[in-house]
Amino acid sequence: MRVRLEDVARAAGVSPKTVSRVLNDEANVRGPTREKVLAAMAAMDYRPHPSARSLAANRSFLVATVYDNPSSNYLTEIQTGVLDACDEHHYSMMVRPLHVESADFVERIDTLISHHRPDGLLLTPPITDHPQLLARLHELDVPYASVSPMNRSGSIGAFIDEPKAAREVVGHLLGLGHRRIAHVTGHPSHGATGWRLTGYREALSAAGIPFDPALVVEGDFSFSAGVAAARQLFSLSDRPTAVFAANDDMAAGVIWAAGEHGLSVPRDVSVVGFDDTPISRQIWPTLTTIRQPSREMGRIAALELLAALRGKGEGRMVQLPYALQVRESTAPVG
Amino acid sequence: MRVRLEDVARAAGVSPKTVSRVLNDEANVRGPTREKVLAAMAAMDYRPHPSARSLAANRSFLVATVYDNPSSNYLTEIQTGVLDACDEHHYSMMVRPLHVESADFVERIDTLISHHRPDGLLLTPPITDHPQLLARLHELDVPYASVSPMNRSGSIGAFIDEPKAAREVVGHLLGLGHRRIAHVTGHPSHGATGWRLTGYREALSAAGIPFDPALVVEGDFSFSAGVAAARQLFSLSDRPTAVFAANDDMAAGVIWAAGEHGLSVPRDVSVVGFDDTPISRQIWPTLTTIRQPSREMGRIAALELLAALRGKGEGRMVQLPYALQVRESTAPVG
DNA sequence: ATGAAAGCGCTAACAA
DNA sequence: TTGTTAGCGCTTTCAT
C-alpha cells in the first residue's frame, strides 16, 4: 500500500498537521521537529498525493503554457525552460496550443481554466498582447507571466532589449560597409515586429542613412514570407546589398530566394536573421543572427510566476541578455 | 460559489451518485433520467473538479508524453496529436523530456509516476525500446502506447511501414537512373535506422545492384552528421550520384556539404530524406522525402492508450499510411 | 509550537 | 435502476 501523510506522522511521532506544515514549508515548526519529520519522510519514501493536496488546499499546483503555433523550435525551448522551473518547485505543467485569431479564443481559455484549474498561466507571443484575454484573466483573478510581451508594465515575465539587439545586428552590417540595407518585418500582431523595425530605423538613422520605404517589406515570420519579400527586393533596380530579416526562418527564405535569383550569399548580398534557432546552422551559408535565450526566458518567466503564486515577492519583469552570432552569411560589401 | 455535483443532483431531483453515473457514462441510468441530469448540468454550467474526481476514483485522467529530444518539429507534431486525442476524452497531458542515456533514466520515470500518477504513458523513439523501462512499466502495471516502436508485438500505438517507405524513396532514385546510391544511417538506438537501411538494401537488391559497404555511412539524425557523412562520400573516387539520408535534417546536411564541395543539387547529385519536416521545404533545393503523418501517429497512439485505459477494447497497434513527396532535390542521373 | 476535528468534491461499495 | 454511506489523502479552521 502507498505511504500516506498519516503514516509519516505516526512514524515521526507527531500529528498529521505537523507533517503537513513541514511539507508546505510553513512556519511554526521547531528545528528538531522538522528534522524528525523530514527523516521519516525520506525513510519511507513518502510522496504526497497531488489530487488530495489540490482538493484540500484548493490549488492545483499546475501551470498552463499557452501558445499560438510559433516556430516549434522556439516553442520547444520555451517549454523546456518552463518545465525546468516547474520541476524545481514541484509544480506540473500542461501545454495548450490555441489560435488567437479564432472567434472563441478567450472562451477556450475560459474552458481550460474551469476544466483544469491551473494556478497560473504562462503566455507566449502573440497571446501576451491580447487585450480581451488579459482583461478576462484579471477578472478571473488568474495570475500569469509573459515572455516578451509588448506591454511590460503591469505584467511579470522575461524579455530582452529587442530594439537594441536589432540595432546591433544592423550595426554589424553597417560595419561591413553596407549602406543599402533592407528589412523584412514580422507579423504585425507580434511586439517583436515593431521593436525590430524600430531598431533597424534607429541604426540607419544613427549612421546618417535616410530611410527608404522601398527597402522595408512586410512579412509574417514564415519561410515563404522571406522568399516572397526577397523576390520583391531582388527585383529592385537598385538592389540592397544586405537584408535584415526579422527572424531566422525568413532569413532562410531570403537566402533561398537569393539562390533562385543567381545571387551568392554573402558575396552578392549579406543576410542576417534574429533568434538563433537551429535553422541558422542548418542552411548554407550559416546565418549571422541574434541569439535569444528562449529556454532561459521560459524558465525565468515561470519562476517569477511561481514566486507570485506563492506570494513570495510580487513577481518581476526580468531583462535577459542577447548575443550577436556572427556566421557566414555576412561579408563586407562587394 | 462553484457549482458542485451535489447542486446538480438537487436541481435534477436525483441523488449525487446518479449524476456521477451520467458524468462517467456508466450504465444503469434510464434515458429520461440521463436527459434530466444532462439538462441540469448544462443549465448550471457544471464542471467537475478534477482533483476530487481523481482522489475518489483513484485515477488521474492524466497522460504523460515522454521523449528524448528528437527534433522539435517531430516532437511538436506528436505532442499536438496526443493533445487532440486527450481533449476529445477530457484527459489532460503532461510532457517530460528525458535522456535515455543517463544513468537514472528509469528512476526518473519512476519519480514521474509516483509524483504525478499518470494513468498511462505515451512513448516516442528511442524511449519506446528501452528494455529496462518497459520491464519497469509492466512491473508497476502502468499502461503505455508507443509511436514507431522497434518491437511492435505486445505493445499498442501507431507506426508506418518504414522498410516499404524506404524502398519507395530509393525506388524513386532508381527510376531516375541512379545506380550508385549512398545511404546515411540514423542513430543506432532508433528502430527507424534499421528499417530504413533494410529498405535501402532491399530496393538495391531488387534492382540487381550489388551492395557496396563504402556507400553506407553511419550518422545520428543530426544535421552535422549529414555534413560529415557527405564529406566522406563526396571524397570517394567513384562518387555516388544520389544520397538517401535517413532523415531530413541529415539530408539538409548532405545538401549543405554538396555546396561546400562545389556540387550542384540535383544536377551533380540527387538527395532524398525521410520525415517531411518543415526543413524539407526550407532549404534550396527543396527536398524529396517521405511524408510521415507524425501528428496523426501521436493522436492515434494516444487514442489507443485511452481505449486501453477505459478497458474498451484492448488497444491496438495501428498502421498508418506514408507518402512519397517528390520535390526539387532529385533529377535523372547526369 | 502543536494537535483535533471537520471537511474539500467526488466515487466505490453496498443496499434497496 | 437508483440511493445511502463511507471514505479517497490531504489541509483548513480553531483549539490548546
Side-chain angles (χ1 to χ4, degrees):
Chain A
M1 200 42 208
R2 293 201 64 239
V3 177
R4 288 159 312 152
L5 180 142
E6 195 191 329
D7 305 321
V8 176
R10 198 172 306 117
V14 298
S15 76
K17 177 64 215 181
T18 298
V19 179
S20 172
R21 284 197 179 92
V22 172
L23 200 59
N24 295 289
D25 262 326
E26 285 174 29
N28 294 336
V29 182
R30 272 186 319 178
T33 312
R34 183 178 299 273
E35 299 306 326
K36 250 192 330 195
V37 172
L38 253 14
M41 284 196 204
M44 308 174 83
D45 193 28
Y46 168 67
R47 315 281 183 153
H49 193 298
S51 304
R53 238 152 91 88
S54 302
L55 182 59
N58 197 29
R59 314 200 280 145
S60 61
F61 301 95
L62 206 211
V63 165
T65 297
V66 179
Y67 61 93
D68 181 8
N69 188 39
S71 89
S72 42
N73 291 313
Y74 178 74
L75 175 66
T76 307
E77 288 293 304
I78 296 284
Q79 179 176 302
T80 306
V82 175
L83 270 171
D84 288 345
C86 287
D87 279 356
E88 289 173 32
H89 294 275
H90 300 285
Y91 265 68
S92 45
M93 186 197 75
M94 60 174 300
V95 288
R96 171 64 41 185
L98 286 172
H99 299 289
V100 220
E101 306 290 354
S102 78
D104 60 350
F105 170 69
V106 176
E107 194 185 319
R108 276 175 184 273
I109 295 207
D110 255 34
T111 304
L112 163 72
I113 292 172
S114 65
H115 197 95
H116 297 278
R117 290 148 196 281
D119 289 337
L121 297 188
L122 202 135
L123 310 181
T124 58
I127 291 177
T128 43
D129 301 292
H130 193 285
Q132 290 144 283
L133 173 65
L134 300 187
R136 184 76 182 124
L137 293 181
H138 281 119
E139 195 180 322
L140 294 173
D141 203 30
V142 173
Y144 62 88
S146 307
V147 173
S148 304
M150 222 143 147
N151 186 349
R152 288 197 288 272
S153 67
S155 67
I156 68 176
F159 71 102
I160 63 168
D161 188 335
E162 299 237 5
K164 183 148 168 279
R167 285 201 300 277
E168 196 160 324
V169 73
V170 174
H172 166 71
L173 294 171
L174 290 165
L176 291 169
H178 294 276
R179 286 298 172 270
R180 278 193 71 69
I181 302 175
H183 179 48
V184 185
T185 71
H187 188 103
S189 68
H190 285 64
T193 299
W195 295 320
R196 295 172 193 181
L197 174 60
T198 299
Y200 162 79
R201 296 191 63 155
E202 288 173 352
L204 293 189
S205 163
I209 299 175
F211 176 71
D212 180 352
L215 292 182
V216 175
V217 182
E218 188 171 314
D220 63 6
F221 290 131
S222 72
F223 180 85
S224 55
V227 173
R231 281 179 179 155
Q232 185 176 329
L233 290 167
F234 294 152
S235 303
L236 292 175
S237 53
D238 193 5
R239 222 174 48 209
T241 63
V243 180
F244 164 35
N247 76 341
D248 291 345
D249 280 4
M250 292 198 297
V254 170
I255 291 177
W256 191 95
E260 190 189 46
H261 278 249
L263 297 172
S264 162
V265 177
R267 201 191 56 210
D268 303 321
V269 58
S270 285
V271 179
V272 298
F274 202 109
D275 288 344
D276 196 28
T277 50
I279 199 176
S280 63
R281 275 148 279 144
Q282 298 179 347
I283 52 178
W284 190 84
T286 55
L287 189 66
T288 292
T289 188
I290 293 285
R291 183 182 124 70
Q292 184 172 194
S294 305
R295 177 167 172 173
E296 191 62 9
M297 292 174 83
R299 180 165 165 276
I300 297 289
L303 286 177
E304 292 303 322
L305 174 61
L306 295 177
L309 291 181
R310 287 176 308 154
K312 313 206 171 181
E314 281 302 274
R316 300 158 303 162
M317 176 55 76
V318 182
Q319 176 170 343
L320 262 31
Y322 61 82
L324 174 66
Q325 295 287 335
V326 177
R327 297 207 181 87
E328 301 165 347
S329 64
T330 47
V333 66
Chain B
M1 201 42 210
R2 294 201 63 238
V3 178
R4 289 158 312 150
L5 181 141
E6 195 190 330
D7 305 320
V8 175
R10 199 173 306 118
V14 298
S15 78
K17 179 63 215 184
T18 298
V19 178
S20 171
R21 285 197 178 92
V22 172
L23 200 59
N24 295 290
D25 262 328
E26 284 174 31
N28 295 336
V29 182
R30 273 186 318 181
T33 313
R34 183 178 299 271
E35 299 305 327
K36 247 190 337 194
V37 172
L38 253 16
M41 283 195 200
M44 307 174 83
D45 193 28
Y46 169 67
R47 315 280 185 155
H49 193 299
S51 303
R53 239 152 88 87
S54 302
L55 182 59
N58 199 28
R59 313 200 280 145
S60 61
F61 300 94
L62 207 211
V63 165
T65 298
V66 178
Y67 60 94
D68 181 7
N69 191 38
S71 90
S72 44
N73 291 314
Y74 178 73
L75 176 66
T76 306
E77 288 293 304
I78 296 285
Q79 181 175 300
T80 305
V82 175
L83 270 172
D84 288 346
C86 288
D87 279 357
E88 290 173 32
H89 294 275
H90 299 286
Y91 265 68
S92 45
M93 186 197 76
M94 60 174 300
V95 289
R96 171 63 42 185
L98 286 172
H99 299 288
V100 221
E101 306 290 355
S102 78
D104 59 351
F105 170 70
V106 175
E107 194 185 319
R108 276 176 183 271
I109 295 207
D110 256 33
T111 303
L112 163 72
I113 291 172
S114 65
H115 198 95
H116 297 279
R117 291 148 194 281
D119 289 337
L121 297 187
L122 202 133
L123 311 181
T124 58
I127 292 178
T128 43
D129 301 292
H130 193 284
Q132 290 144 283
L133 172 64
L134 301 187
R136 184 74 182 127
L137 292 181
H138 281 117
E139 195 178 324
L140 293 172
D141 203 30
V142 173
Y144 62 88
S146 307
V147 174
S148 305
M150 223 144 147
N151 186 350
R152 288 197 288 270
S153 67
S155 68
I156 68 176
F159 71 102
I160 64 168
D161 187 336
E162 299 237 4
K164 184 150 167 276
R167 285 201 300 277
E168 196 161 322
V169 74
V170 174
H172 166 70
L173 294 171
L174 290 165
L176 291 169
H178 294 277
R179 286 298 173 269
R180 279 192 72 69
I181 303 175
H183 178 49
V184 185
T185 71
H187 189 102
S189 68
H190 285 63
T193 299
W195 295 320
R196 295 171 194 182
L197 175 59
T198 299
Y200 162 78
R201 297 192 63 155
E202 287 173 352
L204 292 189
S205 164
I209 299 174
F211 176 71
D212 181 351
L215 292 182
V216 175
V217 183
E218 187 171 315
D220 63 5
F221 290 132
S222 72
F223 179 85
S224 55
V227 173
R231 281 179 179 154
Q232 186 176 328
L233 290 167
F234 295 152
S235 303
L236 292 175
S237 53
D238 193 5
R239 224 176 45 211
T241 64
V243 179
F244 164 36
N247 77 341
D248 292 346
D249 279 4
M250 291 198 298
V254 171
I255 291 177
W256 191 94
E260 189 188 48
H261 277 249
L263 297 172
S264 162
V265 177
R267 201 191 58 210
D268 303 321
V269 58
S270 285
V271 179
V272 297
F274 202 109
D275 288 344
D276 196 28
T277 49
I279 199 176
S280 63
R281 274 148 280 144
Q282 298 180 346
I283 52 177
W284 189 83
T286 55
L287 190 65
T288 293
T289 188
I290 292 285
R291 184 182 123 69
Q292 183 171 196
S294 305
R295 178 166 172 174
E296 191 61 9
M297 291 174 83
R299 181 166 163 275
I300 297 289
L303 286 177
E304 293 302 322
L305 175 60
L306 295 177
L309 290 181
R310 288 176 305 154
K312 312 206 174 184
E314 282 300 274
R316 299 158 303 163
M317 176 55 76
V318 182
Q319 177 171 343
L320 262 32
Y322 61 83
L324 174 66
Q325 296 285 336
V326 177
R327 297 205 180 89
E328 300 165 346
S329 65
T330 47
V333 66

